Amino acid sequence: MKIPFNNPYLTGKEIHYMNQAVRQGHLSGNGYFTKKCQHYLEERYGFRKCLLTTSGTDALEMCAMLCNLQSGDEVIMPSYTFVSTALAFLREGARVVFADSMKCNPNIDADAIEALVTPRTRVIVPVHYAGVACDMDAIMAIAERHNLIVVEDAAQAIDSYFISRKSNVESQKPLGGIGHLAAFSFHETKNVTAGGEGGLLVVNDERFVRRAEILWEKGTNRAEFFRGEVNKYGWVDMGSSFLPAELNAAFLWAQLECLDTIQLRRKHIWNRYYELLKPHAAKGYFSLPHIPEYATNNAHMFYLILPDLEKRTALIQHLKDNDILAVFHYLSLHSSSYYAKKHDGRLLPECDRYADTLARLPMYNDLKIKEVEYICSRIVQFYE
Ligand SMILES: *Cc1c(COP(=O)(O)O)cnc(C)c1O
């Protein structure tokens, strides 16, 4: 019995819809399935405008382009994130200012953001790690005070919510629907996939809608032409080829259609891990994911925080010896070989701690509860 870290889930309808896309004879982007997916996500989450992209990285690049940055403008983001979050803004000439994570979970520490704001700051990029919300009331308030754009890196955050208590009124807001712009990923390691690679740009602020469509269509106003708003289309702005082929959108549709069952199953697995490991966390062996009262859990990931790097290395090896693939995650971007010399030298101890001590356990739809129990028993065996 070998247990992989991830195993892409298939609903069974993927080939059916891909076959339909082929028979419809429209294979390039922005066809029937692209529109179907975009419309579904706009309706389900109340997103102002959705545009499918070829990856989450591409969606982040579109966000960065839409921010219209000048060289030297500053963008605040956590150091504990995937490289794409930083790359998207760096390639627009921005300076990335890394913030530390919270003590309770790897998300950006909202209380540390305001001290980093300078007259050059333009954007804050909260990353909802493991699909668990950052403190968006606090972040949106800082952005409002300093007139900043908020881009949510919601790559891992499909179908997860922030519970806002703004002005003492409680309301649930879908992640990706709070900032001015947001990016989701449909990579095969995420909760739903567009057939391996895929992403989504969400535009919540009306000001960015028109330009987003133009960037998406290689710098042309083609979308307006097809809606009959202009009588010819041409080159009007920057842009690139960000739209996925219909085959990928058809694959994604098969998954979106089953989103509720996918989420139920993942939460079931996540809860079983939590239940079985909780008594051992109480003994101080490790700590479990912390979900603040303002966040929901979309069961994107199950991780442990080990006491130190040596313990983590040993546990991952022990699990590997038992045919279980557990993996660590991000390395601190502020001390990466590419960015260390550009970083301003501030220490980010919480980020470094997660880089050294976080271990992710196998998490995928077809993971059996018996396997979860086996994995937990091997973890306990490591300690006892
Ligand atoms: C997966 C991920 C991305 C990148 O998404 P791709 O679709 O792989 O390009 C960006 N940010 C975070 C936080 C991610 O988890």
Side-chain angles (χ1 to χ4, degrees):
M1 172 162 77
K2 251 201 160 63
I3 305 177
F5 170 67
N6 181 55
N7 188 9
Y9 173 65
L10 296 175
T11 69
K13 290 290 274 292
E14 287 83 358
I15 300 293
H16 171 75
Y17 290 133
M18 288 170 85
N19 195 2
Q20 192 180 325
V22 170
R23 279 185 284 107
Q24 276 166 355
H26 177 133
L27 291 172
S28 59
N30 203 11
Y32 173 79
F33 284 105
T34 297
K35 291 187 176 118
K36 210 170 167 62
C37 291
Q38 291 175 175
H39 183 72
Y40 175 82
L41 292 162
E42 286 164 2
E43 292 295 308
R44 180 172 172 127
Y45 298 113
F47 297 150
R48 169 70 188 82
K49 178 84 187 171
C50 285
L51 292 172
L52 292 190
T53 58
T54 46
S55 66
T57 303
D58 268 2
L60 284 164
E61 286 178 10
M62 287 187 76
C63 292
M65 290 171 86
L66 287 166
C67 290
N68 215 6
L69 300 169
Q70 309 298 310
S71 167
D73 282 350
E74 294 171 3
V75 177
I76 299 171
M77 65 178 66
S79 177
Y80 195 76
T81 184
F82 193 54
V83 279
S84 298
T85 322
L87 274 178
F89 292 89
L90 272 187
R91 61 207 302 291
E92 293 300 299
R95 208 169 79 73
V96 172
V97 177
F98 288 117
D100 208 358
S101 296
M102 294 193 287
K103 273 207 157 51
C104 67
N105 77 29
N107 281 341
I108 191 167
D109 182 357
D111 294 335
I113 292 175
E114 204 149 20
L116 301 175
V117 174
T118 75
R120 295 303 307 265
T121 307
R122 297 285 174 269
V123 189
I124 307 172
V125 191
V127 179
H128 306 300
Y129 186 76
V132 175
C134 297
D135 186 349
M136 292 307 290
D137 278 346
I139 291 169
M140 295 310 287
I142 295 166
E144 227 165 274
R145 280 200 288 282
H146 300 277
N147 196 23
L148 309 175
I149 301 170
V150 174
V151 173
E152 296 178 70
D153 182 338
Q156 306 174 7
I158 189 84
D159 206 50
S160 198
Y161 292 80
F162 172 70
I163 300 152
S164 169
R165 285 189 184 81
K166 210 172 149 187
S167 326
N168 280 326
V169 181
E170 189 170 305
S171 63
Q172 281 220 5
K173 297 180 177 170
L175 299 189
I178 305 164
H180 304 88
L181 299 162
F184 285 90
S185 169
F186 300 127
H187 185 264
E188 76 171 24
T189 52
K190 305 301 198 299
N191 289 25
V192 295
T193 175
E197 305 279 354
L200 172 76
L201 170 75
V202 174
V203 182
N204 296 309
D205 185 324
E206 183 63 39
R207 287 178 298 166
F208 299 110
V209 171
R210 177 168 184 264
R211 187 150 189 256
E213 276 186 339
I214 291 168
L215 296 181
W216 195 59
E217 289 273 24
K218 295 114 180 150
T220 73
N221 55 348
R222 197 163 174 264
E224 290 172 348
F225 172 71
F226 279 113
R227 281 197 297 265
E229 294 163 16
V230 291
N231 55 18
K232 61 182 182 351
Y233 76 88
W235 184 14
V236 295
D237 201 337
M238 283 297 289
S240 190
S241 183
F242 288 115
L243 61 172
E246 271 294 287
L247 284 178
N248 290 89
F251 193 110
L252 179 63
W253 176 247
Q255 302 245 318
L256 289 179
E257 215 181 34
C258 295
L259 187 52
D260 287 328
T261 25
I262 290 173
Q263 289 302 93
L264 267 178
R265 175 70 195 160
R266 290 187 81 104
K267 285 177 197 171
H268 183 59
I269 294 167
W270 199 100
N271 289 335
R272 190 70 186 129
Y273 265 131
Y274 196 88
E275 213 169 73
L276 288 169
L277 293 173
K278 199 165 184 246
H280 305 287
K283 296 178 202 157
Y285 294 166
F286 42 73
S287 50
L288 298 176
H290 173 72
I291 304 189
E293 74 289 349
Y294 54 74
T296 66
N297 176 24
N298 73 344
H300 171 61
M301 189 192 295
F302 197 94
Y303 63 81
L304 304 178
I305 307 289
L306 281 296
D308 55 46
L309 177 59
E310 291 66 37
K311 268 266 164 6
R312 182 182 73 179
T313 308
L315 176 66
I316 289 176
Q317 186 57 47
H318 171 77
L319 292 176
K320 199 171 170 201
D321 294 341
N322 285 278
D323 284 335
I324 298 161
L325 203 63
V327 294
F328 57 87
H329 210 185
Y330 304 133
L331 300 173
S332 302
L333 291 183
H334 69 281
S335 45
S336 62
S337 64
Y338 185 67
Y339 206 77
K341 48 195 181 302
K342 299 186 184 72
H343 178 62
D344 54 28
R346 277 173 303 113
L347 298 177
L348 304 173
E350 295 303 325
C351 171
D352 290 340
R353 182 169 63 86
Y354 292 114
D356 283 348
T357 62
L358 187 146
R360 296 181 291 160
L361 302 180
M363 181 76 216
Y364 50 89
N365 268 54
D366 291 326
L367 186 65
K368 296 181 187 67
I369 293 300
K370 277 229 304 270
E371 291 171 325
V372 173
E373 289 163 359
Y374 172 70
I375 295 164
C376 293
S377 77
R378 294 306 94 177
I379 293 170
V380 173
Q381 178 199 49
F382 173 75
Y383 286 96
E384 294 172 357

